[in-house]
Amino acid sequence: MPQDFFRHPAWRGYLLALLAWGVAFALRLGLAQWFPPGFPYLTFFPAVVLVAYYAGLRPAILTATLSGLAAWWFWIGPPGFDIGVATLVALGFYIFVAAVDIFFIVGMDGASRRLSHEVERNAALAESRDILLREVQHRVSNNIQVVSALLSLEARASNDPGARKALADASARTALVAQIQRSLADAERQATAFESLARSIVDDALQAAARDDVAVSISSGAVVLSAEEATPVVLIMLECVNNALEHAFPDRPGEITIELSDDGAVRTLVIADDGVGVSGTATAEPGSLGLRIITALTRQLGGQWSLQPADPGASARLSWPSPPASRQT
């Protein structure tokens, strides 16, 4: 039975008060011969507590008043409303205990209700915030997509091959940012699974490069990327994949392996290929636009990036601190 049943309408609470007092009085009267002297209120206190919890302050006061009067008349001192010192002391004790019971029960119930309302209010605010944030993400994604389309139009209209390529690359990168933003908007709690997002991005890159002879394997376990991580991490991954497609397999099939791991303190992304490899270790300040982009995004993450020769091929490694939520889990 819901707790508010005896509060609305109010007459139910007063009816409960009368019934509780009646049952307590009947029990006290029926057990009178079994009770030793000095326990006139034994069955009345539970009635007061019950009514205070289910019906609230005023019905509880009614129950306490009727119980006190009944105990005063029948079981405190001589029959009737005796006003002796012992009787007044017993009544004072009863009033004190009943008032404390009612005060704490009604007070805690009120605090519990206020807390419940606050929790509901916060939940509604959180839901509204999430809806608004998703809407903002969608609008940002749409605006970025418009910018990408404008860059693509400028690229097609340009007569300079260098400018056309630069604009086309900028359009592709901007479209990728829009795609990541859309994925974040659709993901719960503004976090997205790396593996599904990476697979979609890599498939688009392979299709754009017309490289159906390159196999790409992706593994990340259950790692998800926060909104702050997703854009720089995926952009770095794509730059590494495009670099491998352009330089590692000039005239033969190949394989690219992408692995993301998280040890609780550091997240590590490794993009390895079995191509022609690189000479030395690429740790110096890069000269190409792609490598400059990687360096800038790595700094944004507060991490480190390196490109090293492997056997066979090459291996690019990105490491950055895990977000706080990942460290707690």
Side-chain angles (χ1 to χ4, degrees):
M1 181 181 298
Q3 184 177 346
D4 287 340
F5 179 81
F6 293 107
R7 296 175 184 263
H8 307 289
W11 63 265
R12 291 178 178 173
Y14 291 106
L15 178 60
L16 176 65
L18 293 174
L19 290 175
W21 170 77
V23 171
F25 178 75
L27 285 174
R28 183 64 182 84
L29 190 63
L31 299 174
Q33 60 179 341
W34 302 97
F35 282 5
F39 295 93
Y41 311 113
L42 192 58
T43 61
F44 294 116
F45 284 130
V48 173
V49 171
L50 178 71
V51 174
Y53 180 77
Y54 282 103
L57 177 62
R58 294 182 179 180
I61 292 175
L62 175 61
T63 303
T65 301
L66 293 176
S67 299
L69 291 174
W72 188 6
W73 181 272
F74 289 99
W75 295 289
I76 300 178
F81 294 123
D82 178 61
I83 56 174
V85 175
T87 299
L88 294 178
V89 171
L91 285 174
F93 171 78
Y94 169 76
I95 293 171
F96 173 77
V97 175
V100 169
D101 288 345
I102 294 173
F103 173 79
F104 279 106
I105 292 173
V106 173
M108 287 188 294
D109 178 68
S112 176
R113 288 172 181 272
R114 287 191 296 271
L115 179 60
S116 177
H117 292 160
E118 189 66 22
V119 169
E120 292 176 0
R121 176 176 172 274
N122 290 339
L125 289 175
E127 183 178 0
S128 299
R129 180 204 62 191
D130 290 342
I131 293 174
L132 179 60
L133 188 56
R134 286 195 294 270
E135 179 63 22
V136 170
Q137 290 278 16
H138 278 297
R139 289 182 181 273
V140 169
S141 173
N142 292 338
N143 291 337
I144 296 175
Q145 194 67 49
V146 170
V147 174
S148 175
L150 292 175
L151 290 172
S152 179
L153 288 174
E154 291 291 338
R156 289 196 292 269
S158 176
N159 295 322
D160 185 344
R164 187 183 306 116
K165 183 179 186 305
L167 289 170
D169 290 344
S171 175
R173 291 186 175 105
T174 307
L176 174 60
V177 174
Q179 183 177 350
I180 296 171
Q181 289 292 323
R182 191 174 299 111
S183 298
L184 292 174
D186 295 336
E188 184 180 3
R189 299 179 184 273
Q190 295 304 301
T192 185
F194 170 80
E195 192 164 337
S196 60
L197 179 58
R199 173 55 63 186
S200 173
I201 300 299
V202 169
D203 286 346
D204 290 343
L206 292 174
Q207 183 176 1
R211 295 301 301 265
D212 55 2
D213 58 343
V214 176
V216 179
S217 62
I218 304 173
S219 62
S220 65
V223 178
V224 297
L225 299 177
S226 67
E228 292 76 14
E229 296 174 297
T231 299
V233 170
V234 174
L235 283 173
I236 290 173
M237 179 208 71
L238 182 61
E239 290 293 338
C240 294
V241 169
N242 284 336
N243 185 66
L245 293 176
E246 183 176 355
H247 301 291
F249 317 112
D251 53 5
R252 66 175 180 83
E255 181 179 358
I256 300 174
T257 302
I258 302 173
E259 295 182 358
L260 175 62
S261 61
D262 186 353
D263 64 6
V266 176
R267 288 186 166 180
T268 303
L269 176 67
V270 177
I271 302 99
D273 64 71
D274 61 353
V276 298
V278 294
S279 59
T281 302
T283 57
E285 187 69 21
S288 70
L289 176 61
L291 292 180
R292 289 202 302 270
I293 290 174
I294 290 175
T295 300
L297 293 174
T298 301
R299 289 173 180 167
Q300 179 181 331
L301 287 168
Q304 295 180 337
W305 181 86
S306 64
L307 178 62
Q308 298 177 335
D311 186 17
S315 176
R317 181 184 182 90
L318 170 68
S319 60
W320 72 98
S322 299
S326 175
R327 297 193 197 106
Q328 291 172 4
T329 55

